[in-house]
Amino acid sequence: MNKRSSFLFFVLVVATIVAHFLRNNLLFLTFLIAIIFFYLVEEKWIKKELSRISDALLQLRNRENYEKFVLVPYDPFVKVKNQLNNLFEESNFLFETESEIMSSLRDTLNLLHIPVFIMNKKGRVLIANGSCSALKKENVKCENCFYYEYFYSLELMDLIAESLDRNVDNREVRVGGRIYKANSFHRKLNSEREVVIFVLNDITEQVEKEIMEREFISAVSHELKTPLSVISGVLDILKEEQLTESEKMEFIKRMESNVSRMNGLARELLILTEIRHRENIAKARINLKDCIVSILDAEKHFVKEYGFSLHLNLEDVWILGDSFLVKEMIKNIVENALKYSKGSEVLISLKKGDFAEISIKDNGVGIDEADVEHIFEPFYRLEHSRSRKGGGTGLGLTIAKRVAELHKGHITVRSTRGKGIEFIIQMPFIEN
Ligand code: ADP
């Protein structure tokens, strides 16, 4: 009740009492009705004002736009309304500053190429950078929804739920075929507000590389173990058994072949280790024709021994590169053609098209199309080569592929099982 209405109320009460003492019933009744009417109007007005104040508080809570209270003198709520107006002004300033900070934080986070998002303690996502788009549900656009409405992976959701209670430390999580390392931190903004910062590091390539390295090392140990156990077995026999000279010779030959197998393996391992993670190569001028001819010259005992019919069609083509590695690449493929097509035909051609193109084609055992993608993997050998006496290491084509890549080229394979195989090496050429 404001001062004016309090005064009016007081006057009405006094007038009612005076009318009562004057025994003027009509006046008494009139003033009494006026008091009741006054009370009802006043109550309604108070209720209305209280509801306006409560609406304003709700708007403040929801950060909605607010229409300032017009302050009327003698209004009993004037102090509350005044405080509310001040509060709104201050919080508007704070909200604007906060939204500016949030938008520049979002811009900064967007520069990061790893998913980062910030939630409040209840799990509402306040900011999520662009890299999070790979992790979120397709139809979800808004931030400011809860993490379980935003992300789709159950595994990730479990981890986020955990992060709301305690920091998550270097935990692996798989989302959509990728592997991430997750970390989260709690940060207090002020005495009341706390946020959770969640960071995901994509470690898929790193993990795959580690797995490959582990597999590679275990394959190397396995490859070394086999000849070593043969040699140690043969040594035991030579030490303990009474053998004839020819039997001894037989065992020594077996040792020799295993030693040479280990030698070959060590040599190829050295080359592969050297080029595996290399990005650059020496750039010397290489005449591919000379290169092929010198390789065939070194293999001529083989060609003669098995009576190959060798067809050559070689143009003069030059490339820039590492001549040792290029020779190694061609030699591995030519040796395979000779090894796996004993006694048949081998065609080698060299020409210039969009690329320098070397084709090495045999009509030997060939391989299934499904095996084509695997033969370049380290130590991958098919049945026909595993069973061969003195078969290769399974590293030759791995080296060849890497060398082609280092020369900005590639190798394609056309093969039919039982009919032979053609390897086509393509690399950029230079003018003669
Ligand atoms: P390897 O030292 O065993 O020859 P490579 O890496 O050179 O190893 O070749 C991988 C596998 O690919 C071989 O073990 C063989 O099974 C298959 N291969 C390669 N070249 C030929 C070919 N010309 N004909 C049939 N199979 C081949």
Side-chain angles (χ1 to χ4, degrees):
M1 218 183 287
N2 61 29
K3 273 186 188 163
R4 225 180 318 174
S5 33
S6 306
F7 179 71
L8 192 63
F9 186 71
F10 176 73
V11 170
L12 276 175
V13 171
V14 172
T16 314
I17 295 168
V18 170
H20 176 70
F21 281 114
L22 292 178
R23 301 201 182 273
N24 187 334
N25 286 345
L26 188 67
L27 260 183
F28 175 75
L29 213 62
T30 312
F31 286 135
L32 199 64
I33 290 169
I35 287 175
I36 293 168
F37 182 73
F38 181 87
Y39 174 76
L40 289 176
V41 169
E42 189 75 9
E43 195 201 13
K44 203 170 171 204
W45 175 81
I46 290 173
K47 271 188 184 162
K48 196 177 139 209
E49 287 305 293
L50 280 175
S51 126
R52 277 182 69 200
I53 290 170
S54 130
D55 285 351
L57 284 169
L58 202 69
Q59 281 168 331
L60 183 69
R61 184 178 163 231
N62 293 340
R63 304 178 174 200
E64 285 166 10
N65 274 344
Y66 156 81
E67 228 171 86
K68 269 178 125 185
F69 283 108
V70 180
L71 300 175
V72 180
Y74 310 122
D75 181 344
F77 299 114
V78 76
K79 270 193 184 165
V80 178
K81 289 177 179 174
N82 195 15
Q83 292 294 358
L84 268 174
N85 282 347
N86 291 342
L87 197 60
F88 259 99
E89 247 165 54
E90 273 171 33
S91 51
N92 264 350
F93 170 73
L94 283 177
F95 295 157
E96 272 164 26
T97 321
E98 189 181 310
S99 81
E100 272 169 29
I101 293 173
M102 291 292 249
S103 102
S104 57
L105 184 60
R106 188 177 293 109
D107 290 346
T108 314
L109 291 184
N110 276 338
L111 294 176
L112 297 177
H113 295 296
I114 54 171
V116 181
F117 56 92
I118 300 175
M119 299 175 291
N120 67 13
K121 274 280 283 172
K122 287 184 180 148
R124 200 181 273 280
V125 180
L126 306 173
I127 298 182
N129 74 350
S131 302
C132 288
S133 59
L135 312 170
K136 74 181 182 72
K137 286 179 188 162
E138 238 173 55
N139 44 356
V140 177
K141 279 204 178 71
C142 61
E143 289 168 1
N144 252 334
C145 51
F146 285 98
Y147 69 88
Y148 45 82
E149 298 167 314
Y150 197 75
F151 298 106
Y152 71 86
S153 151
L154 292 177
E155 202 182 327
L156 178 61
M157 276 188 230
D158 284 348
L159 207 58
I160 299 175
E162 194 183 321
S163 79
L164 296 176
D165 294 329
R166 69 186 90 93
N167 287 349
V168 160
D169 212 9
N170 273 333
R171 296 273 292 280
E172 243 178 65
V173 57
R174 284 162 197 263
V175 187
R178 312 282 308 167
I179 309 165
Y180 296 90
K181 194 152 262 185
N183 281 286
S184 77
F185 323 89
H186 283 231
R187 282 284 172 275
K188 270 199 159 44
L189 296 184
N190 51 41
S191 58
E192 281 172 19
R193 290 183 74 192
E194 189 172 317
V195 290
V196 181
I197 304 165
F198 205 101
V199 184
L200 287 154
N201 244 314
D202 192 334
I203 51 164
T204 318
E205 268 83 42
Q206 193 187 324
V207 170
E208 279 172 357
K209 212 167 148 190
E210 277 168 19
I211 293 172
M212 266 168 63
E213 290 295 322
R214 237 178 288 143
E215 283 175 358
F216 185 72
I217 289 169
S218 105
V220 170
S221 342
H222 176 78
E223 289 295 322
L224 285 172
K225 241 185 195 166
T226 317
L228 270 177
S229 55
V230 173
I231 293 169
S232 102
V234 169
L235 281 174
D236 284 347
I237 295 171
L238 286 175
K239 263 193 296 179
E240 284 158 24
E241 308 272 328
Q242 291 291 327
L243 299 170
T244 63
E245 278 310 302
S246 74
E247 280 172 333
K248 269 189 202 161
M249 220 43 219
E250 194 54 41
F251 279 117
I252 287 170
K253 269 188 194 152
R254 210 187 287 179
M255 273 210 299
E256 261 176 2
S257 108
N258 278 285
V259 167
S260 101
R261 185 176 169 72
M262 280 173 70
N263 260 333
L265 185 64
R267 181 182 173 279
E268 295 202 326
L269 271 176
L270 270 177
I271 299 174
L272 190 60
T273 320
E274 225 271 298
I275 60 174
R276 242 173 143 206
H277 303 297
R278 212 156 99 182
E279 294 300 327
N280 299 312
I281 38 151
K283 295 261 169 69
R285 283 174 64 86
I286 304 170
N287 183 326
L288 285 178
K289 187 177 172 180
D290 291 351
C291 193
I292 295 170
V293 170
S294 81
I295 291 167
L296 291 173
D297 200 39
E299 303 284 344
K300 65 176 177 242
H301 63 283
F302 211 64
V303 178
K304 218 186 222 165
E305 189 180 337
Y306 292 107
F308 282 104
S309 106
L310 196 58
H311 303 274
L312 301 180
N313 184 4
L314 307 176
E315 286 177 25
D316 231 12
V317 184
W318 292 75
I319 62 161
L320 270 186
D322 184 313
S323 67
F324 169 77
L325 292 179
V326 169
K327 224 176 192 174
E328 196 62 29
M329 167 180 69
I330 302 171
K331 190 186 83 175
N332 281 335
I333 297 176
V334 169
E335 272 183 357
N336 280 347
L338 301 175
K339 252 190 327 200
Y340 301 119
S341 61
K342 251 190 295 174
S344 323
E345 275 187 340
V346 176
L347 278 85
I348 302 177
S349 72
L350 169 65
K351 61 179 184 195
K352 237 175 2 189
D354 290 340
F355 289 95
E357 187 175 302
I358 309 165
S359 154
I360 299 152
K361 190 175 174 184
D362 67 63
N363 60 354
V365 288
I367 61 170
D368 282 331
E369 269 209 29
D371 290 319
V372 167
E373 59 176 309
H374 297 296
I375 56 175
F376 294 97
E377 291 166 11
F379 303 112
Y380 192 88
R381 273 171 297 177
L382 289 157
E383 202 47 47
H384 61 251
S385 44
R386 251 181 265 145
S387 50
R388 273 191 87 251
K389 216 172 124 206
T393 57
L395 288 178
L397 288 181
T398 315
I399 294 174
K401 181 173 184 261
R402 183 73 194 124
V403 173
E405 284 167 358
L406 279 172
H407 287 79
K408 311 246 177 295
H410 54 268
I411 303 176
T412 39
V413 180
R414 292 188 199 130
S415 172
T416 318
R417 195 176 184 83
K419 290 199 171 160
I421 190 164
E422 180 182 13
F423 285 85
I424 301 161
I425 309 168
Q426 289 182 309
M427 287 175 296
F429 62 85
I430 53 165
E431 292 309 326
N432 301 358

